[in-house]
C-alpha cells in the first residue's frame, strides 16, 4: 500500500521559518495536497501541487519533487495562530487520497 | 455561510446501539464524503457519494451504512456500534472529486462507544 511519512511533531519560534516535510511512494502519483487542522477543528485546504516546483501563497509555500517522492510546506513569519497540525495527502494511482497522520506544529513565543 | 454542518457534535453510545450522523452542505456540491480520524493515523475514507442517490465504499466501510437521498444531505449510520468505532468523524464535500479539488470539511462529530 501507499505510505505517507511526515514528522509527528515540530517546534518553532514565533517570527521564524519552518519547513514540514512529507514523503510518499512515487509509483502512480497524481498530486499532493496540504491541509491545516487546528486542534478540535476541521481540516482546511492550504495547497495542491501536481507539477514540480514551488508554489507560493502568502506566508505559506508548498514544494514538490515528483522524482524524489518529496514535498514540503514552508511557513514564514510564524505566528502563534499557525500552531496546528499539517496534513499531507497524496493522490494515488486510483485517484484516491492517501492521508498522512499529520505534523503537529508548536509555536513558542 | 454555513458550509458543511454535522450533527451531533458529540455522542456516547453503548456497544450494540445504533445511531445516525447527519451531514448537510449548502454549496450545491455533487461529491460528499465521510472520513474517520484516529490518533496517529491519517484520515480514512468510509463511504462517499458522487451525486444524489449514489453511494460507494471507501477504505473502511465495514460496520457503516450511508444514504444520499437529497443532494445536500449525506447520512452515516452505525447499525450496531462497537468500541472500535470510537473516533472523530468528518464529513466533507467538494465540487469535483477529492483528488482534483479542495475538500470542505464539517467541524467533526466525536463518537465514543463504551
Amino acid at each position: 500500500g501507499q505510505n505517507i511519512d511526515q514528522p509527528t511533531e515540530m517546534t518553532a519560534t514565533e517570527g521564524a521559518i519552518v519547513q514540514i516535510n512529507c514523503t510518499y511512494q512515487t509509483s502512480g502519483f497524481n498530486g499532493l495536497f496540504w491541509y491545516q487542522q487546528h486542534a478540535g477543528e476541521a481540516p482546511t485546504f492550504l495547497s495542491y501541487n501536481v507539477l514540480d516546483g514551488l508554489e507560493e501563497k502568502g506566508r505559506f509555500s508548498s514544494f514538490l519533487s515528483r522524482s524524489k517522492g518529496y514535498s514540503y510546506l514552508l511557513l514564514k513569519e510564524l505566528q502563534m495562530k499557525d500552531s496546528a497540525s499539517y496534513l499531507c495527502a497524496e493522490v494515488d494511482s486510483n485517484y484516491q487520497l492517501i492521508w498522512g497522520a499529520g505534523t503537529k506544529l508548536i509555536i513558542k513565543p | 455561510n454555513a458550509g458543511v454542518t454535522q450533527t451531533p457534535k458529540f455522542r456516547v453510545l453503548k456497544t450494540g446501539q445504533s445511531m445516525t450522523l447527519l451531514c448537510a452542505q449548502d454549496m450545491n456540491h455533487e461529491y460528499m464524503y465521510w472520513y474517520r480520524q484516529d490518533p496517529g493515523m491519517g484520515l480514512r475514507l468510509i463511504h462517499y457519494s458522487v451525486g444524489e442517490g449514489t453511494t460507494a465504499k471507501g477504505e473502511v466501510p465495514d460496520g457503516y451504512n450511508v444514504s444520499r437521498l437529497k443532494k445536500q444531505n449525506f447520512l452515516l449510520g452505525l447499525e450496531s456500534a462497537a468500541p472500535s468505532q470510537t473516533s472523530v468523524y468528518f464529513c466533507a464535500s467538494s465540487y469535483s472529486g477529492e483528488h482534483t479539488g479542495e475538500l470542505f470539511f464539517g467541524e467533526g462529530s466525536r463518537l465514543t462507544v463504551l
Side-chain angles (χ1 to χ4, degrees):
Chain A
Q2 299 280 359
N3 287 321
I4 306 292
D5 291 318
Q6 45 181 141
T8 302
E9 187 174 296
M10 298 181 70
T11 302
T13 304
E14 188 177 16
I17 298 173
V18 71
Q19 178 176 310
I20 302 173
N21 297 326
C22 172
T23 59
Y24 60 89
Q25 294 186 359
T26 57
S27 60
F29 173 82
N30 283 299
L32 192 126
F33 288 88
W34 283 96
Y35 281 78
Q36 181 190 58
Q37 185 178 24
H38 286 99
E41 297 184 9
T44 55
F45 172 82
L46 287 177
S47 67
Y48 172 61
N49 295 68
V50 65
L51 299 175
D52 290 350
L54 185 70
E55 297 219 358
E56 299 184 68
K57 192 182 296 184
R59 293 189 299 113
F60 292 10
S61 303
S62 57
F63 172 82
L64 177 67
S65 169
R66 289 174 295 173
S67 63
K68 296 182 179 179
Y70 168 69
S71 173
Y72 67 73
L73 185 68
L74 190 70
L75 290 71
K76 301 178 183 177
E77 301 171 15
L78 285 170
Q79 302 175 8
M80 297 303 293
K81 67 178 182 180
D82 298 330
S83 292
S85 288
Y86 292 85
L87 314 181
C88 170
E90 177 202 359
V91 183
D92 72 3
S93 58
N94 295 316
Y95 294 94
Q96 295 179 339
L97 282 182
I98 308 297
W99 294 82
T103 298
K104 182 178 180 180
L105 178 64
I106 300 168
I107 309 296
K108 295 186 175 181
Chain B
N1 291 338
V4 180
T5 304
Q6 294 180 226
T7 54
K9 298 289 191 294
F10 301 92
R11 185 73 187 269
V12 178
L13 290 177
K14 294 182 180 179
T15 297
Q17 287 185 318
S18 64
M19 76 159 296
T20 300
L21 296 176
L22 172 64
C23 177
Q25 53 97 2
D26 62 3
M27 295 172 284
N28 202 35
H29 286 164
E30 290 292 339
Y31 294 76
M32 296 188 75
Y33 316 84
W34 276 107
Y35 291 92
R36 60 178 290 172
Q37 187 174 42
D38 300 294
M41 302 181 71
L43 288 165
R44 291 184 291 169
L45 183 64
I46 304 170
H47 286 279
Y48 64 100
S49 168
V50 301
E52 180 179 315
T54 74
T55 63
K57 294 180 179 179
E59 179 187 356
V60 289
D62 293 342
Y64 305 94
N65 56 77
V66 288
S67 64
R68 183 102 181 266
L69 298 179
K70 293 183 178 181
K71 186 176 183 178
Q72 64 267 34
N73 296 337
F74 195 30
L75 278 64
L76 178 71
L78 286 72
E79 291 187 348
S80 180
S84 61
Q85 293 178 305
T86 293
S87 187
V88 180
Y89 292 86
F90 285 98
C91 176
S93 71
S94 63
Y95 176 75
S96 57
E98 63 169 0
H99 62 282
T100 62
E102 177 181 355
L103 291 170
F104 293 84
F105 285 87
E107 293 185 353
S109 298
R110 183 175 296 274
L111 175 65
T112 302
V113 182
L114 302 175

